[in-house]
Amino acid sequence: MTAEVRTVAAGELDRYADGIRDVYARAFAAPPWNEDPAQAHGYAERLARDALRPGFTAAVATAGGTPVGFATAWITPEVFPAERSYGPVAEALGPARTRAWLCGALEVNELAVAPEAHGTGIGAALLHAVTGPAPDGRCWLLTSVRAEAALRLYERVGWQRVAAPVPGAAALVVLLGPRHPQRAEAEAEAGDR
């Protein structure tokens, strides 16, 4: 599959809204996420709010004009949030590492590729597109350890798992981007465990 990947401004997202909602529904219906396709409508509403976050960036992959993937990211606030999965992440890393590794870094929030486009390089291209503006190369993401295909992609393109497991039933793991300056520190800690 040949696809075009391009970054899009927050104001352009409406143009791709139906396609993004469709990709989200199909990408996250499969294990380990098992989301009901109706949750894609909730994501579309959340995306409109997320687009207002400082440092928001998005990329869309299209094939024949139809979205087949997308990614979003933003700058993690200097005061680390407590809602959603942030609380357990802060608990796993502790305040010093959370502040040094994540606050002020670019956070990849969503990356989704339509099932028929898996294995085509679109996921890596989307990830690269949204992490390009990462301040000083500092970027991170959170995913499930059960998302084996996603983890293989992230690790293949140079992302590194942090050895601190995130508490909770979702079995989440933090990954640091390929140019993140604290990777060596995270690697050393992983070797100590």
Side-chain angles (χ1 to χ4, degrees), residues 8 51 58 84 92 106 125 129 153 173:
V8 294
R84 295 177 39 196
L106 187 81
L153 164 69
V173 62

PDB file of all heavy atoms in Angstrom, residues 8 51 58 84 92 106 125 129 153 173:
ATOM      1  N   VAL A   8      -0.501  17.762   9.903  1.00  0.00           N
ATOM      2  CA  VAL A   8      -1.661  18.621   9.674  1.00  0.00           C
ATOM      3  C   VAL A   8      -1.836  19.535  10.879  1.00  0.00           C
ATOM      4  O   VAL A   8      -1.598  19.132  12.019  1.00  0.00           O
ATOM      5  CB  VAL A   8      -2.955  17.809   9.429  1.00  0.00           C
ATOM      6  CG1 VAL A   8      -2.870  17.030   8.131  1.00  0.00           C
ATOM      7  CG2 VAL A   8      -3.264  16.868  10.555  1.00  0.00           C
ATOM      8  N   ALA A  51      -6.494  19.052  20.577  1.00  0.00           N
ATOM      9  CA  ALA A  51      -5.880  19.936  19.580  1.00  0.00           C
ATOM     10  C   ALA A  51      -5.578  21.319  20.160  1.00  0.00           C
ATOM     11  O   ALA A  51      -4.776  22.063  19.593  1.00  0.00           O
ATOM     12  CB  ALA A  51      -6.779  20.055  18.357  1.00  0.00           C
ATOM     13  N   ALA A  58      -0.097  16.810  14.801  1.00  0.00           N
ATOM     14  CA  ALA A  58      -0.802  15.631  14.286  1.00  0.00           C
ATOM     15  C   ALA A  58      -0.264  15.300  12.902  1.00  0.00           C
ATOM     16  O   ALA A  58       0.234  16.170  12.182  1.00  0.00           O
ATOM     17  CB  ALA A  58      -2.304  15.890  14.213  1.00  0.00           C
ATOM     18  N   ARG A  84      -6.423  10.461  33.983  1.00  0.00           N
ATOM     19  CA  ARG A  84      -6.228   9.348  33.055  1.00  0.00           C
ATOM     20  C   ARG A  84      -5.118   8.422  33.554  1.00  0.00           C
ATOM     21  O   ARG A  84      -5.126   8.022  34.700  1.00  0.00           O
ATOM     22  CB  ARG A  84      -5.983   9.884  31.642  1.00  0.00           C
ATOM     23  CG  ARG A  84      -7.203  10.612  31.100  1.00  0.00           C
ATOM     24  CD  ARG A  84      -7.077  11.256  29.763  1.00  0.00           C
ATOM     25  NE  ARG A  84      -6.324  10.500  28.781  1.00  0.00           N
ATOM     26  CZ  ARG A  84      -5.865  11.041  27.667  1.00  0.00           C
ATOM     27  NH1 ARG A  84      -6.066  12.304  27.405  1.00  0.00           N
ATOM     28  NH2 ARG A  84      -5.206  10.312  26.797  1.00  0.00           N
ATOM     29  N   ALA A  92       4.890   5.029  39.114  1.00  0.00           N
ATOM     30  CA  ALA A  92       5.917   4.073  38.669  1.00  0.00           C
ATOM     31  C   ALA A  92       7.297   4.718  38.581  1.00  0.00           C
ATOM     32  O   ALA A  92       8.292   4.120  38.995  1.00  0.00           O
ATOM     33  CB  ALA A  92       5.538   3.487  37.313  1.00  0.00           C
ATOM     34  N   LEU A 106       7.777  15.933  24.486  1.00  0.00           N
ATOM     35  CA  LEU A 106       6.682  15.663  23.567  1.00  0.00           C
ATOM     36  C   LEU A 106       6.118  14.293  23.887  1.00  0.00           C
ATOM     37  O   LEU A 106       6.854  13.297  23.947  1.00  0.00           O
ATOM     38  CB  LEU A 106       7.176  15.691  22.121  1.00  0.00           C
ATOM     39  CG  LEU A 106       6.056  15.577  21.095  1.00  0.00           C
ATOM     40  CD1 LEU A 106       5.402  16.950  20.900  1.00  0.00           C
ATOM     41  CD2 LEU A 106       6.600  15.069  19.780  1.00  0.00           C
ATOM     42  N   ALA A 125       6.345   5.933   9.869  1.00  0.00           N
ATOM     43  CA  ALA A 125       6.331   7.260   9.235  1.00  0.00           C
ATOM     44  C   ALA A 125       5.498   8.251  10.045  1.00  0.00           C
ATOM     45  O   ALA A 125       5.887   9.415  10.216  1.00  0.00           O
ATOM     46  CB  ALA A 125       5.806   7.152   7.804  1.00  0.00           C
ATOM     47  N   ALA A 129       6.838  11.585  11.929  1.00  0.00           N
ATOM     48  CA  ALA A 129       6.235  12.883  11.591  1.00  0.00           C
ATOM     49  C   ALA A 129       5.846  13.683  12.838  1.00  0.00           C
ATOM     50  O   ALA A 129       6.064  14.896  12.889  1.00  0.00           O
ATOM     51  CB  ALA A 129       5.016  12.684  10.687  1.00  0.00           C
ATOM     52  N   LEU A 153       7.129  -2.423  16.771  1.00  0.00           N
ATOM     53  CA  LEU A 153       7.343  -1.238  15.933  1.00  0.00           C
ATOM     54  C   LEU A 153       8.182  -0.210  16.678  1.00  0.00           C
ATOM     55  O   LEU A 153       9.195   0.267  16.163  1.00  0.00           O
ATOM     56  CB  LEU A 153       6.003  -0.610  15.518  1.00  0.00           C
ATOM     57  CG  LEU A 153       6.101   0.829  14.983  1.00  0.00           C
ATOM     58  CD1 LEU A 153       6.808   0.872  13.642  1.00  0.00           C
ATOM     59  CD2 LEU A 153       4.733   1.466  14.911  1.00  0.00           C
ATOM     60  N   VAL A 173       3.305   0.433  29.893  1.00  0.00           N
ATOM     61  CA  VAL A 173       4.753   0.630  29.924  1.00  0.00           C
ATOM     62  C   VAL A 173       5.066   1.974  29.266  1.00  0.00           C
ATOM     63  O   VAL A 173       4.429   2.364  28.299  1.00  0.00           O
ATOM     64  CB  VAL A 173       5.491  -0.543  29.220  1.00  0.00           C
ATOM     65  CG1 VAL A 173       5.126  -0.650  27.762  1.00  0.00           C
ATOM     66  CG2 VAL A 173       6.980  -0.417  29.394  1.00  0.00           C
TER      67      VAL A 173
END
